[in-house]
Amino acid sequence: MSRLTAKFDALRSAKRKALVPYIVAGDPDMERTLPLMHKLVEQGADILELGVPFSDPMAEGPTIQLAHERALVHAVSLSGILELVTEYRRQDQDTPIVLMGYANPVERMGYDCFAERAGRAGVDGVLIVDMPPEEAEPLNEALARHELDNIFLLAPTTTDERIAKVAGLAGGYIYCVSLKGVTGAGNIDVDQVQKLMQRIQAHTNLPVTVGFGIKNAETATRVAVCCDGVVVGSALVDAVARAEKNGTDVLEATTLIRDIRHALDAISR
């Protein structure tokens, strides 16, 4: 059983919601990314989404775009991130790690090489934002050989036909985009999220997390009632950036995750 499946099974048995923080590897630098990952788990994270920096992160809003730029200044690479995951696994063999990024770095490394190295490093899943399902089968085959899940985004604009196609290819969980727009944009319409969740669940039994626009404990709990977990990205990345700018310890930014964890556990009781 994969770490992702085991995690969601355990959460479901405990009637708890998954908390999935997203950070960009190498922001503010690689040396502090590793302790930041461990601190997030200490504060209540169930799964870690690790952003792979890219020069043209088209699905991202300004906050995460700037984080990608800061990481690229330090020449953070896909190879370096796989080494980071290897180092992380020396202390934590249980927390699932998902790499979230864009197709170009993976294609440059080669699907087979990437899947082999990612599996060996201890990665559990991959979410490639700009990989359409029509082109995903070669990557899926490479990932499957190394027991890695391919995680897909589904948005409010996704048709039922496309949802069915993605459901047939996805593994681990499905990432439901809560709104039309980029990360960090707008306010969540919970009714819209619930409608999309119903459409997704008609085609799959995979867990579904919701992200884009989860800014605090209040928005997390509003959305959590209709899904299996929430993803916190821009708000956390912004908290890390503010801590760095103010000269404070970036680990303090993880108090956001602690507060959301407490709120999610409160609605699960």
Side-chain angles (χ1 to χ4, degrees):
M1 181 184 295
S2 74
R3 267 185 287 252
L4 283 167
T5 299
K7 177 62 69 174
F8 277 107
D9 284 353
L11 288 166
R12 189 175 290 113
S13 295
K15 297 182 180 179
R16 299 176 75 219
K17 303 294 184 175
L19 177 52
V20 188
Y22 165 97
I23 57 172
V24 177
D27 177 41
D29 50 50
M30 287 295 271
E31 289 73 20
R32 283 179 286 181
T33 299
L34 183 62
L36 187 55
M37 293 167 68
H38 286 296
K39 188 67 174 179
L40 287 166
V41 174
E42 181 183 316
Q43 297 282 38
D46 297 297
I47 298 164
L48 298 176
E49 281 187 1
L50 201 54
V52 179
F54 185 56
S55 58
D56 187 23
M58 66 183 112
E60 313 297 355
T63 295
I64 295 180
Q65 285 184 16
L66 289 170
H68 280 244
E69 291 177 10
R70 290 190 295 268
L72 290 172
V73 166
H74 299 299
V76 174
S77 66
L78 181 55
S79 290
I81 293 169
L82 294 177
E83 292 173 6
L84 173 71
V85 175
T86 298
E87 184 63 27
Y88 179 85
R89 287 292 178 220
R90 298 184 194 281
Q91 295 184 48
D92 184 346
Q93 287 289 326
D94 298 322
T95 304
I97 295 176
V98 173
L99 299 188
M100 182 172 180
Y102 294 82
N104 186 275
V106 174
E107 291 179 345
R108 184 174 181 181
M109 181 176 287
Y111 292 162
D112 289 326
C113 179
F114 166 73
E116 189 277 328
R117 291 182 62 182
R120 181 156 39 89
V123 172
D124 300 286
V126 178
L127 198 169
I128 299 182
V129 176
D130 55 347
M131 174 67 71
E134 292 81 5
E135 300 176 13
E137 288 196 23
L139 175 61
N140 258 23
E141 291 171 2
L143 295 176
R145 284 193 287 273
H146 297 279
E147 300 181 339
L148 297 170
D149 288 315
N150 198 0
I151 297 156
F152 286 84
L153 295 169
L154 289 175
T157 54
T158 307
T159 64
D160 289 343
E161 180 181 7
R162 197 170 182 82
I163 289 173
K165 187 174 185 65
V166 165
L169 293 168
Y173 60 96
I174 288 175
Y175 188 132
C176 173
V177 177
S178 67
L179 44 77
K180 299 174 184 177
V182 295
T183 54
N187 294 312
I188 295 176
D189 183 336
V190 176
D191 289 339
Q192 179 177 270
V193 173
Q194 288 178 325
K195 290 176 183 177
L196 178 55
M197 286 290 300
Q198 290 169 358
R199 292 169 57 213
I200 294 171
Q201 290 166 339
H203 296 282
T204 183
N205 292 320
L206 284 174
V208 183
T209 65
V210 174
F212 285 46
I214 309 292
K215 299 176 180 179
N216 49 37
E218 191 270 334
T219 51
T221 53
R222 283 174 54 218
V223 169
V225 296
C226 65
C227 65
D228 298 290
V230 296
V231 182
V232 184
S234 293
L236 176 58
V237 171
D238 182 59
V240 170
R242 282 188 281 107
E244 176 72 356
K245 182 178 180 180
N246 294 335
T248 57
D249 188 344
V250 297
L251 296 184
E252 293 182 10
T254 64
T255 57
L256 171 66
I257 299 305
R258 179 201 63 198
D259 294 344
I260 294 175
R261 175 78 275 162
H262 290 167
L264 291 176
D265 286 347
I267 66 169
S268 299
R269 295 190 188 110

